[in-house]
Amino acid sequence: MSLFGENLQYYRKRENMTQEQLAEQLEVSRQTISKWEAGSSYAEMEKLLQLCDLFSCDLDTLLRKEAGESELEDNLQHRRRMKEFRKWITCGVALLITAAASYEILAGLGQRNEAVRQTLFMVLAMAGILILVVQGLKDSDYRKKHPFIQDFYTQEEKEEFDSHFPARIAAGVGLILAGLLIGMNGESLPLPDDMNEEFYYGIFLVIVAAAVSILIYTGMHKQEYDVEAYNKENNLKNTEANGPVAVWCGCIMLLATILFLIAGLVFHLWEICWIVYPVGGLFCGMATLILNRKK
């Protein structure tokens, strides 16, 4: 049996197709399929391309590689990439919110040196923005190289994740509500003499960063299981949907940073302009859920 014949048989059995069913789809006889699999004859180019479309594989893999091993390698690579992508996107957004939190916490602890507070804010904010930009470019490059992947995920995996999904979303929303209680009552909470209520505003932002991280990470993890949407995006070259979470979260938090700097540097509203970050974080969380819902 030739490598092409072995791969054809592997793909056919993977799809639970009989030789008759495959022959019907390709508009050839069952004997032709049998000869291809036995290696006694080869398919013409038109039929090879049809097989690639049917089994979602490339021509090189169909003819020259061992399909089973190649598929396992692609499985592991895709899982690693998706895990890395959602981890760094979450980290980038969290850093942007933490940048504002550090500004408020330092002010609350009595640090009146504006240069120190602004420097720490800018370092964290720029780190977050750079992470989002780099990961967005990496994701775009990965999608170009892997425009189509198999649905490697088992039904058990998906059901296991779905069973925990509502609780994780509820945890993120609950954290935001808990943070709001602290932020809204900062003036009434006990403080040492050398501290002020801005400390609690900073704590509120830290909680928001944690909450938004949970929402984004969970939303992107759910998105990973929607292989059909991934393939549809790349095959249709839908630029609006390509890398949606990274693009939207990056734009939202970049806009929040611009508004923060304008309000602080131009209008000297440092004591209230931090609010753009929790608002931006909430929009990131909502964008993640909405984009996944559409798919």
Side-chain angles (χ1 to χ4, degrees):
M1 185 182 292
S2 66
L3 199 56
F4 165 63
E6 291 179 358
N7 289 338
L8 178 58
Q9 189 176 86
Y10 170 82
Y11 285 129
R12 178 176 62 78
K13 291 182 177 179
R14 188 196 66 188
E15 300 296 327
N16 296 316
M17 296 175 65
T18 64
Q19 289 184 341
E20 289 84 355
Q21 289 171 328
L22 178 59
E24 184 179 347
Q25 292 207 36
L26 296 177
E27 297 181 345
V28 298
S29 67
R30 186 200 64 79
Q31 289 76 14
T32 299
I33 300 297
S34 180
K35 289 180 180 180
W36 290 350
E37 292 186 355
S40 58
S41 68
Y42 284 84
E44 58 189 25
M45 181 57 68
E46 180 185 355
K47 298 304 180 184
L48 289 174
L49 295 177
Q50 283 184 257
L51 287 169
C52 290
D53 290 338
L54 181 62
F55 296 128
S56 303
C57 66
D58 57 74
L59 191 60
D60 188 55
T61 299
L62 180 63
L63 297 177
R64 301 172 56 187
K65 298 180 181 179
E66 292 188 15
E69 293 183 6
S70 178
E71 200 165 272
L72 177 60
E73 183 180 343
D74 289 344
N75 181 351
L76 296 174
Q77 180 183 20
H78 184 73
R79 288 175 186 269
R80 286 195 298 266
R81 174 54 197 157
M82 292 298 101
K83 183 177 181 180
E84 176 189 14
F85 183 54
R86 65 175 179 269
K87 177 183 71 176
W88 282 110
I89 291 299
T90 301
C91 179
V93 175
L95 272 176
L96 287 170
I97 302 176
T98 303
S102 67
Y103 185 93
E104 295 296 329
I105 289 175
L106 286 178
L109 293 174
Q111 175 56 258
R112 294 302 173 186
N113 190 326
E114 193 74 17
V116 172
R117 294 159 61 188
Q118 291 184 13
T119 299
L120 180 58
F121 164 79
M122 290 302 298
V123 168
L124 294 176
M126 286 189 292
I129 291 171
L130 289 175
I131 287 173
L132 292 176
V133 170
V134 169
Q135 290 304 313
L137 293 174
K138 282 187 174 182
D139 183 61
S140 178
D141 183 60
Y142 178 81
R143 287 169 177 266
K144 288 178 181 177
K145 293 179 179 178
H146 303 86
F148 201 105
I149 63 168
Q150 287 296 326
D151 191 349
F152 310 118
Y153 305 100
T154 64
Q155 189 62 32
E156 290 75 16
E157 280 183 284
K158 296 177 181 179
E159 290 176 356
E160 173 69 15
F161 177 82
D162 287 340
S163 67
H164 299 294
F165 181 74
R168 293 175 185 177
I169 296 300
V173 175
L175 270 178
I176 292 177
L177 295 176
L180 280 172
L181 290 176
I182 295 176
M184 293 170 61
N185 297 286
E187 296 180 358
S188 305
L189 295 173
L191 282 168
D193 294 337
D194 58 343
M195 293 172 59
N196 59 62
E197 66 275 5
E198 291 183 13
F199 173 79
Y200 286 115
Y201 298 154
I203 296 300
F204 161 59
L205 288 173
V206 170
I207 295 174
V208 168
V212 170
S213 296
I214 292 173
L215 293 174
I216 292 177
Y217 191 89
T218 301
M220 293 182 72
H221 199 174
K222 186 171 181 61
Q223 180 186 20
E224 178 184 344
Y225 291 116
D226 195 349
V227 176
E228 182 181 352
Y230 175 96
N231 292 333
K232 184 178 180 181
E233 287 174 10
N234 292 297
N235 289 338
L236 294 179
K237 302 185 184 301
N238 188 342
T239 55
E240 286 187 357
N242 193 28
V245 175
V247 172
W248 280 102
C249 287
C251 291
I252 289 170
M253 298 314 294
L254 182 59
L255 177 61
T257 301
I258 293 172
L259 292 175
F260 179 87
L261 293 175
I262 292 175
L265 296 174
V266 178
F267 300 102
H268 305 289
L269 298 175
W270 296 110
E271 68 280 1
I272 61 170
C273 62
W274 55 266
I275 194 67
V276 298
Y277 281 99
V279 172
L282 287 171
F283 275 111
C284 281
M286 288 188 293
T288 301
L289 295 175
I290 292 171
L291 289 171
N292 288 335
R293 184 78 173 178
K294 285 183 177 179
K295 297 172 185 178

